[in-house]
Amino acid sequence: MKKHIILLLLAITILSGCQDQFAPADDSHFTFENVYKDPTFAEGLLLNAYTALPNIYGFSFNDVATDDAVSNDKSNDYRRMATGQWSAQFNPMNQWDRSYTAIMYLNKLLVESDKINWAPISGEKVSQLYNSRHKGEAYGLRAYFMYCLLQAHGGYDAQGTLLGVPVITAFLENISDFKKPRDTYKDCLTQIYADLSEAEKYLPTDYSNISDASQMLPMYASLGVDVDSYNRVLGDYNKQRMTARIAKGIRAKVALMAASPAYGQESWENAAKYAGESLKLVGGISGLDPQGGLFFLGSNVDKLDILAGKDQGEILWRGSISKSRSLEQNNFPPTLYGNGRINPTQNLVDAFPMANGYPISDASKSGYDPTKPYDGRDPRLANYIIYNRSSFSNKVIYTENEGGNDAVDKISTSTRTGYYMRKLLRSDVNLNPSLLTDQNHYSVHIRYTELFLAYAEAANEAWGPDGKGTNSYSAREIIAAIRKRAGISQPDAYLASITGKDDMRKLIHNERRLELCFEGFRFWDLRRWKESISESANGVKIENNSYTVSAVENRTYSNFMYYAPIPYQEALKLDLVQNAGW
């Protein structure tokens, strides 16, 4: 946490396209008084928090710290932590500085927002619209950053008390103000829920242009603003900013984490309820995007048009679209001019069932042939992972020993496991130095498949495979829809054979592993489930059509590492109780 939050950083030149604009100050020396006068600078408090949001295109890929992936980069931080270097002083999972800095910006906005003239030209009524929207956004964002902190730093102290992080809802300027003890996990949870409720009070379900005053939200209709002003503040232009819909998705994520065995601070019934409330907004199972599992492909990304209100049905919350090739530069196989950084493990490959739905471990029913290990598999395997003799970017990739630079350990940028990552990559990016081509990418914060899986997990724990609570669908029905979309042969005999909660739990956990691979979930899922975190990361070597599986990298974790540490310097500086074992 910083000693001071430098407010002068707010003098950024980011402008809100729908915000009133007027002449700048007489000189370039800004004080906080400028924030009260100029809404552009005031909104900088909010925009700084948006900028700090984590996303799956951060090129970190913490899957490397699990049994799902390794990296061929010896300096990779997640590789280092997984092989014994993780400590309170070296913690690639640290969310402390970024999250608390964002929270400080948001706290300052919440303190000052009522004093700011948000629309100096358009008048008080429009200013009130902006004020309410910005406060709703701030509450929702603060809840999300608190979730990040709780996930990354919540844990038990040496006395067995489950602690969260310090709950800070005021703007703090001096280091002495930060010396606040850790609140309990439950207190943090209460604060997150309260902030999300406030966000929902102020924000629309979605930002959408209206054509008639009768369509205004009731709390804003009483202000007497005209339709054009309403659309300027709460219309299409603001899509992908915080909304009540997004707040519901965050609540579902938080409740699932809190209900899990590692914490046990929320009921599974409530976790299912919150996920169900979010899914109702898309029509339940009928709202599962048929292309949701392939959300990263160009055919899905390029059709997005935020101004026209078009987006994938899969995406609940995302960032902006930009053209780049860095993701592909890092992860394409070397024969495609890439660095092959993220290497899926044999462990993950083995988790994909056969196309008939049976796990490959069921020799009698699956039809799995270890001499032809990639034949007849769940189509998601080919969609997410490049294996030997896969076709990718108009080229056949050979990882077998005779296969050139794409083979295992052939050169420094070759795979270590016999596999390359395919998911998230655009095959129409060209890295050939003479034909360089960028393509559209966007950051993802929450997609609906995550929420469908959250509901399935919570519903199964609460009511078993076929219980529905107050909802119209069960865990089994959700998993059936996801597996059907994936291409599992129908009817799904394996799913039909499951009768108990325990077996359904195993299937749901595995479906979550497959559907969300390489998106930063596996590390935290294993820990909240209290499942093994020390499985070795395995790979395969192929020579003369013979497949030899062996450990590529051992995982060096102790049981106390189910919970990540408080940063050493913060614990020391602020006299914070450390999680046990660190």
Side-chain angles (χ1 to χ4, degrees):
M1 206 182 304
K2 310 301 183 187
K3 183 175 181 179
H4 299 282
I5 304 298
I6 309 300
L7 290 176
L8 297 185
L9 290 177
L10 300 178
I12 55 177
T13 57
I14 302 173
L15 300 178
S16 173
C18 58
Q19 200 86 340
D20 286 34
Q21 301 176 28
F22 54 96
D26 292 336
D27 59 41
S28 60
H29 297 85
F30 290 93
T31 67
F32 199 76
E33 290 303 313
N34 294 91
V35 170
Y36 298 124
K37 300 174 184 177
D38 189 337
T40 297
F41 295 104
E43 194 180 17
L45 290 162
L46 196 60
L47 296 177
N48 272 282
Y50 274 111
T51 300
L53 287 170
N55 62 75
I56 66 170
Y57 288 127
F59 309 119
S60 57
F61 293 103
N62 63 26
D63 306 74
V64 169
T66 75
D67 54 353
D68 271 4
V70 302
S71 174
N72 62 22
D73 179 4
K74 294 180 180 179
S75 64
N76 181 282
D77 285 348
Y78 297 117
R79 177 175 175 175
R80 291 173 58 196
M81 71 173 286
T83 53
Q85 298 184 50
W86 194 17
S87 71
Q89 293 172 289
F90 175 71
N91 181 16
M93 299 299 180
N94 182 14
Q95 292 290 317
W96 196 275
D97 286 347
R98 177 173 62 183
S99 295
Y100 270 121
T101 298
I103 286 171
M104 287 301 104
Y105 282 121
L106 297 168
N107 287 350
K108 189 63 174 176
L109 177 70
L110 290 169
V111 168
E112 307 293 348
S113 189
D114 290 341
K115 307 172 191 175
I116 295 168
N117 185 355
W118 289 105
I121 295 176
S122 300
E124 182 181 353
K125 293 177 180 179
V126 177
S127 181
Q128 288 177 1
L129 276 180
Y130 276 119
N131 183 31
S132 295
R133 193 196 83 194
H134 290 327
K135 287 198 292 188
E137 290 178 84
Y139 281 119
L141 288 168
R142 188 169 72 178
Y144 190 70
F145 283 110
M146 278 295 294
Y147 160 75
C148 293
L149 285 165
L150 202 57
Q151 180 186 60
H153 301 292
Y156 288 89
D157 67 10
Q159 285 71 48
T161 301
L162 181 58
L163 298 175
V165 296
V167 174
I168 301 175
T169 57
F171 179 75
L172 307 180
E173 297 192 45
N174 300 310
I175 187 64
S176 59
D177 297 331
F178 284 101
K179 288 191 174 181
K180 185 180 184 302
R182 293 173 66 184
D183 287 279
T184 66
Y185 191 99
K186 192 71 171 180
D187 288 340
C188 293
L189 201 60
T190 299
Q191 182 61 50
I192 291 172
Y193 285 157
D195 278 352
L196 292 172
S197 294
E198 285 296 294
E200 289 179 282
K201 181 174 77 175
Y202 287 110
L203 296 174
T205 300
D206 299 296
Y207 295 109
S208 179
N209 286 347
I210 63 172
S211 57
D212 186 86
S214 64
Q215 299 171 288
M216 291 184 186
L217 291 173
M219 71 173 294
Y220 296 132
S222 61
L223 293 176
V225 297
D226 58 75
V227 169
D228 286 343
S229 295
Y230 184 91
N231 287 342
R232 179 150 55 99
V233 182
L234 297 169
D236 285 341
Y237 184 87
N238 301 287
K239 287 183 183 293
Q240 298 308 325
R241 295 178 77 131
M242 180 63 62
T243 62
R245 181 188 296 270
I246 293 169
K248 290 182 186 298
I250 295 171
R251 184 182 288 107
K253 287 170 66 74
V254 171
L256 183 74
M257 175 181 70
S260 300
Y263 305 109
Q265 298 297 298
E266 180 58 277
S267 70
W268 286 112
E269 289 84 357
N270 276 345
K273 172 188 173 184
Y274 297 147
E277 287 174 353
S278 186
L279 297 180
K280 283 178 184 177
L281 296 179
V282 294
I285 293 177
S286 65
L288 184 69
D289 185 352
Q291 291 296 308
L294 301 173
F295 67 96
F296 54 91
L297 294 186
S299 57
N300 292 319
V301 177
D302 293 338
K303 69 182 180 184
L304 303 187
D305 185 345
I306 189 169
L307 294 180
K310 296 178 181 177
D311 216 329
Q312 290 186 56
E314 172 65 10
I315 303 301
L316 170 56
W317 189 21
R318 64 167 174 83
S320 59
I321 301 170
S322 61
K323 280 202 169 186
S324 66
R325 60 176 181 272
S326 56
L327 186 63
E328 288 74 20
Q329 182 69 64
N330 283 333
N331 295 293
F332 270 13
T335 60
L336 292 173
Y337 303 94
N339 292 317
R341 292 304 187 205
I342 305 303
N343 308 153
T345 60
Q346 186 67 48
N347 314 53
L348 177 58
V349 170
D350 288 347
F352 288 88
M354 298 297 287
N356 64 12
Y358 282 92
I360 65 171
S361 57
D362 190 334
S364 63
K365 295 180 180 179
S366 70
Y368 175 68
D369 182 352
T371 68
K372 299 177 181 178
Y374 313 122
D375 290 356
R377 299 292 291 274
D378 178 339
R380 287 174 294 188
L381 175 60
N383 289 335
Y384 295 165
I385 294 175
I386 297 173
Y387 48 79
N388 188 46
R389 303 194 181 190
S390 292
S391 179
F392 182 70
S393 193
N394 298 316
K395 181 179 177 62
V396 176
I397 306 299
Y398 295 93
T399 64
E400 55 198 283
N401 283 7
E402 304 87 355
N405 286 344
D406 291 336
V408 175
D409 294 331
K410 193 72 171 182
I411 58 176
S412 62
T413 54
S414 300
T415 177
R416 299 171 62 206
T417 62
Y419 303 102
Y420 293 96
M421 185 180 74
R422 184 178 194 137
K423 188 179 181 183
L424 307 181
L425 305 182
R426 290 200 51 167
S427 61
D428 50 352
V429 165
N430 197 328
L431 299 179
N432 186 324
S434 63
L435 297 168
L436 289 173
T437 304
D438 295 347
Q439 294 295 347
N440 287 329
H441 297 81
Y442 59 87
S443 57
V444 176
H445 306 308
I446 306 175
R447 59 188 188 96
Y448 273 107
T449 294
E450 176 192 350
L451 300 181
F452 277 104
L453 288 164
Y455 176 84
E457 181 178 341
N460 180 61
E461 298 297 339
W463 311 302
D466 299 299
K468 299 180 181 180
T470 60
N471 301 288
S472 60
Y473 39 84
S474 65
R476 188 190 303 275
E477 289 169 321
I478 292 288
I479 296 302
I482 289 174
R483 281 164 65 92
K484 181 179 179 180
R485 180 184 74 178
I488 298 296
S489 302
Q490 300 299 311
D492 189 340
Y494 178 70
L495 178 59
S497 72
I498 292 176
T499 57
K501 180 186 295 187
D502 291 346
D503 286 340
M504 182 60 77
R505 179 188 303 122
K506 292 177 182 177
L507 179 58
I508 291 170
H509 286 192
N510 196 66
E511 285 297 310
R512 188 173 173 93
R513 181 181 192 178
L514 304 184
E515 287 283 339
L516 303 179
C517 63
F518 311 122
E519 296 181 49
F521 287 90
R522 180 71 171 168
F523 181 87
W524 301 113
D525 281 348
L526 288 174
R527 283 162 173 76
R528 68 180 179 84
W529 292 331
K530 296 297 288 284
E531 293 186 357
S532 175
I533 54 178
S534 298
E535 297 293 323
S536 63
N538 299 331
V540 64
K541 287 191 175 182
I542 308 170
E543 188 169 14
N544 297 323
N545 293 320
S546 176
Y547 297 79
T548 303
V549 175
S550 62
V552 170
E553 195 171 271
N554 292 323
R555 296 285 173 253
T556 308
Y557 292 123
S558 300
N559 284 341
F560 69 84
M561 293 179 177
Y562 279 110
Y563 308 95
I566 299 295
Y568 175 78
Q569 290 297 333
E570 301 302 327
L572 190 66
K573 179 172 61 179
L574 304 178
D575 194 26
L576 295 173
V577 174
Q578 183 59 274
N579 289 333
W582 297 100

